[in-house]
């Protein structure tokens, strides 16, 4: 497969990688645009270069390394993000995506509204050539066995070939960013055997087995994994559709919070328990930080010609700062180019001419 | 809708409810048939009447209240349960299901092999008239906010009308067995808004909204719920397809174990932590018991003309005893009849003639 047309984005990344600029949409955060600006200030103090897109009046005086573009229009809460992106060229997320598309910035961070980020990204930054669908990939901080889960919400419905590409995209992220030399990739199903799962999963399993040799440099396919395997350490990357992945992600957070809350309640239930809880606090504090979603910075939006990072809308400045730093690091490490090359060398890129982003988006929404 | 043909099973239940007999397939348990027999002995000591189907040579001398039928053939691990059920009329699960179909027992417990239990149940016990698909419903022991999740694995692929029936089936279970007067039923999705989710979820949501008035006596439809809501207490029943539900169930168990393990590790990491852990042990022990899947007894198999209960194959005798007691209580409380009546009075039963179980099974597997 010719590498010529694929290397374009990588070349630009290589040129700009010494100091990538991160375009940040400040609208959509639960705590408001000022909280995102506060996160950008933290990231800038740690060396990041940031352009903020949001209501300038709310963003305050930018510190060194941060530039502000007044973009008060928000489409973060739109029920129809694709139409909202088309109808609102001045919306903050659209301006931020355009800044990335035009080369003024090298990565995109969207503080709220995954749908809007996806739509603005598809229309402006566009998909990497040969990628069917962008996916949201989240490194989940499981103590002792971190795992990258994708898709966690970009595509509620997928096809076989999308899942197959997600395996390559997740593996490239895992090796590039997380330093896993040859990631073990599992396919989420309701049973470990090859024949178990929905017809979609059974088909994707068969194709991944068939491509195992071609993919061998990029990752090891470990077959189906079950829900319990997300925390068991059997895989470094777990592939699923955006519906199941989103449910799984939120379940993990909900169950972890509930269990830790119950431990706290147990500690508060008696004088003896209170003393025990006090003595444990230090050791548990480290663990709490380890699994804190804010300290992870959010999910990677993979499959566009530039990297996107999507933090939770409910994050505080800490989480937004981490998201910006994550985006900068990802651009510097050329996740986009590495993913392209892994897919190309395994022959897993789409070979037909890329369809218009509109058609893809209609299916996504 | 005529209630005549629907009340048949209920009448039989009413006649036999004073002392239901539970047919138990002993094959398929990870710890072997003897462990299931030990569970049956515990249940019998607490008043249950049990018929065990398994290799008599391994089951020992049955105590009072327990009868043994020698049925050494196991199809619990079959990759194609429907064919295995057809080809092995002497298999333990098939004999157990026939005992229930013929009225010798009033509920079925299968120690291992959900697929085999489902196939044997569909062929022999048969679906309740007007039910599209049986579903596995699991009361999940979330501390402070127990929730019934269904389907957790009977149907990897479902249609809109299946999800709608699952709402009624789960609500009937919740009110009958768990004593929730008017259960709040949520539909699992990747977003709370009505338009969020796969096309299937969007359609099911619309139909549940449309049926809300007719269903009002049986349950309150609270709309879409997200993964995080499984533990948040916003719903008593959460409806989903068997693929997502199975992933969710195993995730919940995996995350809970991982977090409790990490708390234990934190407690073991220092002298100070060890002392704290010791002081907390009593309070945490109660909590551990509260969320122990074994003490719940497993999932309810709903939608057949008799109740089934499917414990984890990895349970010990404790879990199998609970499963048998759960099945007996469910038969006594006439879950099957109550579910039928709830569905009938809301007009949610299938109106066309019931198709052959074979056709349904082909889709299920």
């Amino acid at each position: 497969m010719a590498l010529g047309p694929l290397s374009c984005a990588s070349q630009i990344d290589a040129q700009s990688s010494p100091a990538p600029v991160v375009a940040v949409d400040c609208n959509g955060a639960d705590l408001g645009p000022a909280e995102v600006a506060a996160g950008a200030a933290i990231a800038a103090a740690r060396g990041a270069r940031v352009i903020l897109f949001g209501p300038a009046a709310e963003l305050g005086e930018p510190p060194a390394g941060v530039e502000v573009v007044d973009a008060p229009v928000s489409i973060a809460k739109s029920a129809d993000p694709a139409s909202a992106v088309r109808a609102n060229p001045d919306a903050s997320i659209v301006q931020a995506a355009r800044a990335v598309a035009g080369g003024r910035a090298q990565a995109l961070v969207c503080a709220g509204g995954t749908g809007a980020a996806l739509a603005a990204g598809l229309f402006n930054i566009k998909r990497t050539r040969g990628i069917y669908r962008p996916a949201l990939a989240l490194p989940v901080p499981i103590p002792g066995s971190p795992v990258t889960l994708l898709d966690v919400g970009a595509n509620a419905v997928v096809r076989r070939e999308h899942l197959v590409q997600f395996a390559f995209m997740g593996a490239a992220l895992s090796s590039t960013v997380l330093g896993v030399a040859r990631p073990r990739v599992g396919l989420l199903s309701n049973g470990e055997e090859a024949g178990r799962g929905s017809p979609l999963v059974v088909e994707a399993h068969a194709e991944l087995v068939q491509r195992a040799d071609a993919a061998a440099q990029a990752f090891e396919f470990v077959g189906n994994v079950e829900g319990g395997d997300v925390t068991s350490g059997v895989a470094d990357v777990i592939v699923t559709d955006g519906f199941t992945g989103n449910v799984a992600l939120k379940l993990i957070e909900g169950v972890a919070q509930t269990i830790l809350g119950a431990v706290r309640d147990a500690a508060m239930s008696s004088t003896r328990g209170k003393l025990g809880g006090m003595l444990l606090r230090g050791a548990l504090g480290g663990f709490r930080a380890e699994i804190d979603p804010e300290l992870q910075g959010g999910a990677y939006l993979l499959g566009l010609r530039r990297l996107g990072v999507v933090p939770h809308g409910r994050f505080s400045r800490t989480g937004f700062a981490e998201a910006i730093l994550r985006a900068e690091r990802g651009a510097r490490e050329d996740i986009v180019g590495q993913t392209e090359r892994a897919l190309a060398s395994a022959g897993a890129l789409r070979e037909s001419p890329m369809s218009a982003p509109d058609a893809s988006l209609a299916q996504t929404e």
Side-chain angles (χ1 to χ4, degrees), chain A residues 5 78 125 159 188 281:
Chain A
S78 166
I125 305 175
R159 293 199 304 266
L188 192 58
R281 193 172 296 160

Side-chain angles (χ1 to χ4, degrees), chain A residues 265-337:
Chain A
D265 290 349
M268 298 304 289
S269 63
S270 66
T271 310
R272 184 189 169 94
K274 273 180 200 152
L275 183 57
M278 254 166 54
L279 291 168
L280 263 180
R281 193 172 296 160
L284 279 181
F287 168 67
R288 273 179 189 275
E290 199 181 340
I291 65 165
D292 182 352
E294 289 225 19
L295 297 183
Q296 308 303 317
Y300 292 88
L301 179 56
L302 303 175
L304 299 178
R305 295 183 190 193
R306 289 281 181 270
L307 177 64
V309 169
V310 182
H312 269 287
R314 62 171 164 73
F315 276 3
S316 70
R317 59 192 66 191
T318 308
F320 294 124
E322 291 296 334
I324 292 165
L325 292 166
R326 168 167 278 192
E328 193 216 27
R329 204 161 48 239
R332 201 187 291 273
E333 287 164 355
D334 190 19
I335 291 178
V336 170

Side-chain angles (χ1 to χ4, degrees), chain A residues 20-21 112 164 175 221 241 246 279-280 303:
Chain A
V21 174
V164 171
S175 53
F221 179 54
D241 64 90
N246 188 270
L279 291 168
L280 263 180

Side-chain angles (χ1 to χ4, degrees), chain A residues 50-116:
Chain A
V50 183
I51 311 176
L52 297 178
F53 296 82
E58 296 180 41
L59 299 181
E61 192 59 38
V66 179
E67 186 187 329
V68 168
V69 172
D70 189 30
V73 177
S74 172
I75 57 168
K77 306 291 181 202
S78 166
D80 181 358
S83 302
V85 164
R86 281 193 206 93
N88 297 278
D90 289 340
S92 53
I93 182 62
V94 179
Q95 291 200 50
R98 274 209 310 269
V100 175
R104 196 173 155 200
Q106 284 69 45
L108 178 69
V109 168
C110 176
T114 303

Side-chain angles (χ1 to χ4, degrees), chain A residues 142-156:
Chain A
I142 308 293
S145 56
V147 63
T148 298
L149 188 63
L150 79 165
D151 174 18
V152 297
N155 309 279

Side-chain angles (χ1 to χ4, degrees), chain A residues 131-364:
Chain A
I131 291 277
Y132 293 99
R133 293 282 187 89
L136 275 172
L138 187 77
V140 183
I142 308 293
S145 56
V147 63
T148 298
L149 188 63
L150 79 165
D151 174 18
V152 297
N155 309 279
V157 177
V158 300
R159 293 199 304 266
R160 170 188 48 76
E161 59 270 29
H162 304 160
L163 290 176
V164 171
Q165 279 198 342
F166 293 172
F168 285 88
M169 291 155 73
L173 180 70
S174 179
S175 53
T176 309
V177 174
L178 305 172
V180 182
R182 186 164 167 257
R184 297 158 301 159
V185 175
L187 183 63
L188 192 58
S189 189
N190 59 336
E192 286 182 1
E193 305 83 0
R196 289 294 297 276
S198 61
L200 172 75
V201 167
V202 172
E203 283 176 27
H205 185 112
E207 183 167 338
L208 282 165
V209 167
Q210 190 197 320
R211 285 184 182 273
D213 285 345
Q217 282 209 316
F219 63 86
E220 176 196 358
F221 179 54
V222 297
N224 283 357
V225 298
E226 299 187 84
D229 293 321
V230 173
T231 56
S232 76
V234 301
D236 302 297
V237 175
I238 294 184
V239 169
T240 189
D241 64 90
F243 181 90
T244 310
N246 188 270
V247 166
L249 152 69
K250 290 173 182 167
L251 251 179
I252 294 169
E253 293 179 5
V255 173
Q257 283 170 16
T258 301
I259 301 281
L260 286 174
V263 171
R264 193 177 49 234
D265 290 349
M268 298 304 289
S269 63
S270 66
T271 310
R272 184 189 169 94
K274 273 180 200 152
L275 183 57
M278 254 166 54
L279 291 168
L280 263 180
R281 193 172 296 160
L284 279 181
F287 168 67
R288 273 179 189 275
E290 199 181 340
I291 65 165
D292 182 352
E294 289 225 19
L295 297 183
Q296 308 303 317
Y300 292 88
L301 179 56
L302 303 175
L304 299 178
R305 295 183 190 193
R306 289 281 181 270
L307 177 64
V309 169
V310 182
H312 269 287
R314 62 171 164 73
F315 276 3
S316 70
R317 59 192 66 191
T318 308
F320 294 124
E322 291 296 334
I324 292 165
L325 292 166
R326 168 167 278 192
E328 193 216 27
R329 204 161 48 239
R332 201 187 291 273
E333 287 164 355
D334 190 19
I335 291 178
V336 170
Q338 297 220 35
T339 305
E340 259 183 320
R341 285 186 289 275
L343 283 158
S345 68
L349 286 169
R350 183 184 193 171
E351 302 198 6
S352 59
M354 192 170 68
S355 65
D358 298 64
S360 159
L361 194 61
Q363 293 169 333
T364 302

